[in-house]
Amino acid sequence: MTPRTALGALHIGALMFGLTGVFGKLAAATPAVVVFGRAAFAVLALAFFARFASQHGWQKLQAVDWRRLALSGVLLAGHWVSFFIAVKVAGVAVATLGFASFPAFTVILEGLIFRERIRANEIILVALVSVGLVLVTPAFDLASGATTGLLWAILSGLLFSLLSLTNRASSGRIPAVQAALCQNVVVALCLLPVAAPQLSEVRAIDWLWIALLGVFCTGVAHSLFVASLAVIKARTAAVVFAMEPVYGITVAWLLFDENPTLRMLLGGALIIVAIVVSSQMSGSTSKKTVEAEAASH
């Protein structure tokens, strides 16, 4: 790849990640079926990439690696299920913005888990996300679908943050594509008992949306990120990654007529600014970190 084509590939990957909620809403199936199908198709796509396009060899895994991959797979399953519940209940825009709260959780969890002092700029980041979430919420009423969906989306963001931290802990040893493939196998196995009785009822058109979700929004998108990181700086990739909510909300607005209010747009802008600030304020942003975050998605 040249720098120009790598940057284009990054934006295509961010667009595909952003379409996750769109395909999830198009598929008239339960979140368990959607997540199981996504993971199954993602395994096929990632296996193809690992076989024919990946430059990394297959790392021999130790017992500690298997434990971490199993844990991260369970967290990934919870992250996806809660996100798609939010999509079904509150729509793509609310689900995407609620999930985008993950940088605030990452700052807090890093301080708690690694006992690191939270800096002033990190407090500002948490404040930006918190204010953004308040603005995104139409009214705090648990009887409201928008509020319930937002809470599911925030849970998805929390699980994503835990997953990213788990992936970063093992990203130095395990190639990103191999880690993502193994995690998706765990996700499929976790959801199989719940999804299996419902698979015969899934319509052909819904299988198409689920296949697109697994192949493009997971396998291809992640592979594009990994391939372009060979050329593009990690910080540039992190900023492009922050464009995902913009792409997702824009497509949902065009397809589903999900017209965001001015208040929601302002809240979304604050959250997206927080994501960009989060990706830039750390002096240790590395390709391994960005790969781990992409693998978590």
Side-chain angles (χ1 to χ4, degrees):
M1 283 188 177
T2 65
R4 183 185 296 272
T5 56
L7 186 60
L10 278 175
H11 278 282
I12 292 172
L15 171 61
M16 290 179 179
F17 280 136
L19 291 176
T20 296
V22 173
F23 287 131
K25 183 166 184 175
L26 286 171
T30 64
V33 171
V34 172
V35 172
F36 168 76
R38 177 184 188 176
F41 283 108
V43 167
L44 297 176
L46 289 167
F48 179 84
F49 179 81
R51 175 65 179 83
F52 295 104
S54 179
Q55 298 176 351
H56 299 284
W58 203 258
Q59 177 69 40
K60 185 177 180 181
L61 301 180
Q62 300 177 357
V64 64
D65 299 321
W66 285 113
R67 287 194 294 270
R68 282 177 177 171
L69 288 171
L71 172 61
S72 59
V74 172
L75 289 172
L76 180 60
H79 157 55
W80 280 351
V81 168
S82 54
F83 176 76
F84 286 119
I85 291 175
V87 168
K88 301 288 186 182
V89 172
V92 177
V94 170
T96 302
L97 291 174
F99 152 71
S101 63
F102 72 86
F105 287 116
T106 301
V107 167
I108 296 170
L109 290 172
E110 282 182 332
L112 292 174
I113 295 173
F114 300 109
R115 297 183 180 180
E116 296 177 353
R117 182 179 179 182
I118 299 178
R119 296 169 293 179
N121 54 1
E122 293 174 329
I123 295 175
I124 294 173
L125 183 151
V126 174
L128 281 175
V129 171
S130 301
V131 173
L133 289 174
V134 170
L135 292 174
V136 167
T137 309
F140 194 80
D141 180 6
L142 293 179
S144 164
T147 302
T148 304
L150 182 64
L151 292 175
W152 277 108
I154 292 173
L155 173 61
S156 177
L158 171 61
L159 294 173
F160 180 83
S161 179
L162 287 168
L163 175 56
S164 296
L165 293 175
T166 303
N167 281 347
R168 289 176 196 177
S170 58
S171 62
R173 274 190 41 81
I174 309 172
V177 174
Q178 181 181 359
L181 193 154
C182 293
Q183 288 166 4
N184 276 275
V185 169
V186 174
V187 171
L189 292 175
C190 287
L191 272 298
L192 180 59
V194 180
Q198 308 171 46
L199 295 182
S200 60
E201 303 172 4
V202 181
R203 303 175 304 170
I205 186 63
D206 295 326
W207 278 122
L208 172 63
W209 302 131
I210 293 171
L212 291 174
L213 181 60
V215 173
F216 288 100
C217 299
T218 308
V220 174
H222 177 251
S223 300
L224 285 174
F225 260 78
V226 172
S228 27
L229 278 172
V231 180
I232 295 294
K233 291 181 179 179
R235 289 197 170 193
T236 302
V239 171
V240 173
F241 193 82
M243 292 296 295
E244 175 207 335
V246 178
Y247 290 135
I249 293 170
T250 302
V251 174
W253 170 56
L254 294 174
L255 287 182
F256 308 122
D257 199 28
E258 291 188 6
N259 297 316
T261 63
L262 181 60
R263 175 184 169 127
M264 183 181 290
L265 288 174
L266 180 58
L270 289 176
I271 293 171
I272 292 167
V273 166
I275 299 174
V276 175
V277 171
S278 173
S279 67
Q280 294 299 295
M281 73 182 182
S282 174
S284 60
T285 302
S286 66
K287 293 185 178 181
K288 290 291 185 183
T289 299
V290 178
E291 282 186 3
E293 192 163 277
S296 307
H297 210 63

